[in-house]
Amino acid sequence: MENKKLKRSMTNKKIAGVCGGFAEYFNTDATIIRIIALILLCCVGGGLLAYLICWIAMPTE
């Protein structure tokens, strides 16, 4: 069993690598994660706060 860790991506990033890190962790395309993050930002309103918390809390690879 592989021991995966959630980390910010330094290669697949647009702003801070948070979405790229989630995409690598869930083994999916980063564009899908970015679209989900954008929907959360626009509709739910807590997306920006969640992104900032992940940016601070997630270690880099």
Side-chain angles (χ1 to χ4, degrees):
M1 176 176 231
E2 183 181 333
N3 188 10
K4 295 196 296 187
K5 297 195 182 219
L6 183 60
K7 296 182 179 184
R8 286 188 294 137
S9 175
M10 291 288 100
T11 56
N12 188 7
K13 69 178 193 174
K14 296 292 181 187
I15 298 175
V18 173
C19 293
F22 275 109
E24 290 173 4
Y25 183 79
F26 291 115
N27 198 25
T28 187
D29 188 23
T31 306
I32 295 170
I33 303 296
R34 289 184 183 112
I35 290 171
I36 292 170
L38 184 63
I39 290 170
L40 288 173
L41 177 68
C42 294
C43 297
V44 178
L48 180 62
L49 181 62
Y51 190 89
L52 291 174
I53 290 171
C54 288
W55 188 350
I56 294 168
M58 287 173 61
T60 57
E61 61 179 5

